[in-house]
Amino acid sequence: MEKEEKSSDIFNLFKNLIQLSVIENCYLSKSNNKDLELFVKRDDLIHKYISGNKIRKLKYNIFSFYKNNCSLLITFGGAFSNHLLATASMCHELGIPCIGIVRGEELNAKSNFILSKCDSLGMKLEFVSRTNFSEQKKMSGLLVKDGIPAWFVPEGGANLEGIEGCKEIVSEDEEIYDYYVLAQGTTTTSIGIALALPPSAKIIVVPILKGFNSKSEMKSLLNNDELWNVIKDKIIVLDDFHFGGYAKSTKELREFISETNQLNGMQIEEVYTGKALFALKNYVDKN
């Protein structure tokens, strides 16, 4: 009975947080017209630290943690990883012991705000070399660490549990849209959305990494040829909007973001959402 009550508490926590996400009209200068309506799903309103797609990718990993009677959750991230912070915050809310494996042995818990906050939320940080990090970062699922059953969440929440949670971005909305547009990092969110698309819809992905092969990475993570053949033709890749690579920017991008923020009641940034909306504006203006 105690286990059922715990599962119910976790389910209600996620339900109450995720319902804070709302859909609003989105305006891009000179792009909106009577034939084109744009909307934005405000997952950034869900939680200060567990917002955006982070809560989506954590949801079924947390359920699996409890389902497999684990005593420890372990995940991976870089020095400025929002995934690490979201995981630390979620584990703090639920009282789950957690470890964050951090890329960069020269770092420590006081190196920046993200790491300091993770530490203050109770996440034990282990700093490893870049080589060791690369060897471990995709570890996923139930494994034993020092005799303790642990649930491993790969870097960025990029596993099948993460994909399952991201499917709900589409399925929880009653409206049906023609296109779903998002910035792409690990491809977890874009796979989830692609799998949940209405039959007539397509997904536009905007890789934020330079030289990133979107479809190849998506196929590899999904690891299911039958499902891949269902979704592959629904994917439109706009891969010329990385602006030099991860976290890189230009004056043109910054000016676009400033103008877009003035038009809308939200604040987009240069790493992900700004690039996705810039690519979207370019796409709709040409099509």
Side-chain angles (χ1 to χ4, degrees):
M1 186 66 181
E2 183 179 339
K3 188 174 182 180
E4 291 180 2
E5 289 178 356
K6 186 66 175 178
S7 297
S8 178
D9 289 344
I10 297 165
F11 177 83
N12 287 331
L13 172 64
F14 279 100
K15 180 181 178 181
N16 292 336
L17 286 174
I18 288 173
Q19 70 181 5
L20 297 174
S21 175
V22 297
I23 293 177
E24 300 175 347
N25 287 90
C26 179
Y27 301 97
L28 298 178
S29 178
K30 301 177 182 177
S31 294
N32 299 62
N33 57 56
K34 61 182 176 64
D35 298 317
L36 176 68
E37 287 185 281
L38 301 176
F39 303 89
V40 59
K41 188 165 176 59
R42 296 291 307 276
D43 273 13
D44 60 306
L45 300 176
I46 290 173
H47 189 279
K48 185 175 182 179
Y49 301 127
I50 323 170
S51 68
N53 61 0
K54 305 306 178 197
I55 194 169
R56 311 288 185 173
K57 293 190 281 188
L58 282 172
K59 180 177 179 178
Y60 289 100
N61 276 292
I62 295 293
F63 285 169
S64 294
F65 169 90
Y66 285 107
K67 182 180 179 181
N68 288 279
N69 297 310
C70 294
S71 301
L72 179 66
L73 188 144
I74 301 173
T75 194
F76 307 85
F80 296 94
S81 170
N82 287 326
H83 167 72
L84 277 183
L85 180 56
T87 304
S89 185
M90 178 59 73
C91 287
H92 177 76
E93 295 247 3
L94 295 171
I96 296 174
C98 64
I99 294 175
I101 310 295
V102 185
R103 181 179 58 244
E105 55 194 338
E106 76 281 0
L107 300 168
N108 61 64
K110 304 301 179 186
S111 291
N112 60 47
F113 169 78
I114 297 286
L115 297 176
S116 177
K117 189 64 181 177
C118 287
D119 179 65
S120 71
L121 287 168
M123 173 179 274
K124 180 183 177 184
L125 299 174
E126 295 183 3
F127 301 93
V128 301
S129 69
R130 282 156 176 76
T131 300
N132 286 343
F133 184 87
S134 295
E135 293 171 350
Q136 301 178 59
K137 66 180 183 179
K138 292 185 179 181
M139 293 174 68
S140 181
L142 177 63
L143 297 164
V144 176
K145 179 179 173 62
D146 301 328
I148 299 173
W151 186 262
F152 280 74
V153 181
E155 183 181 24
N159 60 5
L160 295 181
E161 286 78 11
I163 290 171
E164 190 64 28
C166 290
K167 288 165 65 174
E168 296 177 356
I169 295 173
V170 175
S171 61
E172 70 191 18
D173 295 325
E174 295 181 0
E175 295 291 335
I176 294 178
Y177 302 93
D178 301 297
Y179 294 89
Y180 293 74
V181 186
L182 71 156
Q184 188 179 62
T186 66
T187 77
T188 312
T189 308
S190 46
I191 294 171
I193 290 176
L195 289 170
L197 283 176
S200 61
K202 291 184 180 294
I203 179 173
I204 297 175
V205 298
V206 184
I208 50 89
L209 297 172
K210 186 177 182 179
F212 189 76
N213 189 326
S214 286
K215 289 194 172 182
S216 175
E217 294 288 341
M218 292 175 76
K219 183 180 180 181
S220 176
L221 179 57
L222 182 59
N223 195 27
N224 184 315
D225 288 343
E226 184 178 351
L227 288 178
W228 175 248
N229 288 332
V230 172
I231 67 173
K232 65 181 182 180
D233 293 331
K234 295 184 175 185
I235 304 164
I236 298 169
V237 181
L238 304 181
D239 55 7
D240 292 327
F241 299 92
H242 51 74
F243 290 88
Y246 181 76
K248 298 290 182 65
S249 185
T250 65
K251 180 182 178 182
E252 182 182 23
L253 177 61
R254 289 190 292 271
E255 289 177 347
F256 166 79
I257 289 172
S258 177
E259 180 180 24
T260 303
N261 284 340
Q262 290 178 35
L263 286 170
N264 298 277
M266 59 183 181
Q267 295 297 302
I268 61 172
E269 36 64 49
E270 300 174 24
V271 181
Y272 291 99
T273 314
K275 292 180 179 181
L277 285 179
F278 188 101
L280 173 61
K281 177 172 171 53
N282 182 276
Y283 183 81
V284 298
D285 288 350
K286 288 182 176 180
N287 293 278

